[in-house]
Amino acid sequence: MNDLAAPLRRAAPALLGYAAVRALGLVVLAVWSAARGKSAHTLLTARWDALWYTRVADLGYGYEVRLPNGDVHSNLAFFPLLPWLERFMHAVSPLSYADGGLVVSVLASLAAAWGIFAVADHVYGRRNQEGREARPWKGGGGRRVGMYAVLLWAVLPIGIVQSMAYSESLFTALAAWSLYAVLTGRWPAAGVLALFAGLTRPVGLAVVAAVWVAGIASFVRDRSTAPTPGALAWPRALGMALAPLGAAGYVLWVGHRTGKGPLGYLDVQAGWRNGFDGGAAFARFVGEKFTSFPSALAGVGLIVGVGLVLWLYVVGVRQGQPLPLLVYTGVVTALALCASSYFGSKPRLLMPAFPLLLPLALALARLRTSRSAWVVGGVAVASAVYGAFWLNGSGPP
């Protein structure tokens, strides 16, 4: 128990700050929704993907909607871990499936915030997995950078999704702690967490890739230096073996259920018009914004946003972020920007790419506390207002 208490005490200020930001967002959402005659509870638990997850929890797989244009929206597109947890919460408590999903999301968001803190604290202020001291960063150490990383994740414009019955918070928690386990050499734990991340969202592939690339790099490093005794290599191999089982297992099960083999899941996604085209569809979408003056402003905003994402990734590379973080962030970013899915979802799909926030967190950590507090506080208010406006409007599909 003491092993858990000390890290929790270290992360407590960041977690309290995170909870305060999310509470502000929920209060603003409740007031805004009431003014519009809507239910904030319904907006958080019973719209868009949240409905699909609760249907899986309640009825299982097999539900689909056939649209007039021939598209088939099947609930097989939704990975099973969140519905399983919703079903568990419903079984052990009086909560509905939807409310169970909301509780899971809230708890998972706190776990994700803690995981983000742990990763940033390790990278910027503690020993790395090889046992050498991390780079001495000017800015108050890992704890301070970790706190700002958590707060920046909380104040994302689409941060309200962290408080919805969606799978983003659950996935980010599993991904962050899997990455932390890799960075600290806890390979079996990294593999198990990657397995569960692969049962949560298709982008679980990013966690698997991080575990595998880090594992291979570690084996190569051992061969080029003093060989590690064989007894110490098996945990690494075990973690690598476990990591892909969740995603691979679900994809193969979908292929078996649909009768279309290993590529059956791709057909399910095609029914939703989801696919990977290298970003061609997104580029056309952005280009179409420049056909008229008002929409051209949105086009400029999209280009600036994509440029910012790519710039933050390059800064992370230049600052020497560990290889597992770079691989994970690169895969998440590529899948988000280069997919042909609904373009309004792209900010939400990028939300798990929390290492992109680390350069900004380091910059805030180098400021005076009063200045960084004003920056974070102002952005938190803007994020809360935007989240309430967004969720009462088109919202996250």
Side-chain angles (χ1 to χ4, degrees), residues 228-314:
T228 301
L232 299 180
W234 73 262
R236 200 179 317 164
L238 177 61
M240 294 173 66
L242 290 171
L245 296 183
Y250 181 68
V251 168
L252 291 175
W253 178 80
V254 170
H256 174 74
R257 183 181 176 98
T258 60
K260 296 183 179 180
L263 300 181
Y265 183 76
L266 297 181
D267 290 337
V268 170
Q269 286 286 5
W272 287 80
R273 294 188 179 271
N274 292 336
F276 189 87
D277 62 0
F282 185 43
R284 288 194 298 270
F285 174 77
V286 174
E288 291 170 357
K289 295 296 181 182
F290 291 92
T291 57
S292 63
F293 173 72
S295 64
L297 297 177
V300 171
L302 289 170
I303 292 174
V304 170
V306 171
L308 176 62
V309 168
L310 298 179
W311 177 75
L312 287 173
Y313 184 78
V314 171

Side-chain angles (χ1 to χ4, degrees), residues 111-136:
W114 190 3
I116 292 169
F117 173 86
V119 169
D121 188 20
H122 177 83
V123 170
Y124 291 93
R126 305 183 116 180
R127 291 183 181 271
N128 60 24
Q129 64 196 48
E130 291 83 29
R132 298 190 301 270
E133 288 294 337
R135 180 185 302 185

Side-chain angles (χ1 to χ4, degrees), residues 58-299:
D58 186 15
L59 305 173
Y61 286 105
Y63 176 82
E64 63 183 28
V65 175
R66 294 184 177 272
L67 304 183
N69 65 356
D71 290 347
V72 178
H73 289 183
S74 168
N75 65 0
L76 288 169
F78 295 87
F79 277 49
L81 185 57
L82 178 57
W84 287 346
L85 293 175
E86 290 178 340
R87 187 176 295 174
F88 172 77
M89 295 295 294
H90 177 70
V92 301
S93 72
L95 295 173
S96 66
Y97 294 113
D99 287 338
L102 185 62
V103 170
V104 169
S105 184
V106 170
L107 295 177
S109 69
L110 290 169
W114 190 3
I116 292 169
F117 173 86
V119 169
D121 188 20
H122 177 83
V123 170
Y124 291 93
R126 305 183 116 180
R127 291 183 181 271
N128 60 24
Q129 64 196 48
E130 291 83 29
R132 298 190 301 270
E133 288 294 337
R135 180 185 302 185
W137 300 93
K138 179 183 178 182
R143 187 180 190 183
R144 186 172 170 87
V145 177
M147 181 180 67
Y148 285 116
V150 169
L151 293 176
L152 286 172
W153 193 66
V155 303
L156 289 173
I158 38 81
I160 190 65
V161 174
Q162 299 164 19
S163 302
M164 297 178 67
Y166 269 44
S167 61
E168 274 74 12
S169 291
L170 178 60
F171 174 79
T172 305
L174 293 167
W177 283 108
S178 180
L179 292 170
Y180 178 75
V182 169
L183 294 173
T184 55
R186 296 173 171 89
W187 291 97
V192 171
L193 290 164
L195 186 157
F196 284 115
L199 287 170
T200 307
R201 295 188 62 80
V203 76
L205 172 66
V207 189
V208 176
V211 173
W212 269 73
V213 170
I216 292 171
S218 183
F219 278 120
V220 171
R221 184 169 54 250
D222 285 349
R223 289 176 62 88
S224 63
T225 58
T228 301
L232 299 180
W234 73 262
R236 200 179 317 164
L238 177 61
M240 294 173 66
L242 290 171
L245 296 183
Y250 181 68
V251 168
L252 291 175
W253 178 80
V254 170
H256 174 74
R257 183 181 176 98
T258 60
K260 296 183 179 180
L263 300 181
Y265 183 76
L266 297 181
D267 290 337
V268 170
Q269 286 286 5
W272 287 80
R273 294 188 179 271
N274 292 336
F276 189 87
D277 62 0
F282 185 43
R284 288 194 298 270
F285 174 77
V286 174
E288 291 170 357
K289 295 296 181 182
F290 291 92
T291 57
S292 63
F293 173 72
S295 64
L297 297 177

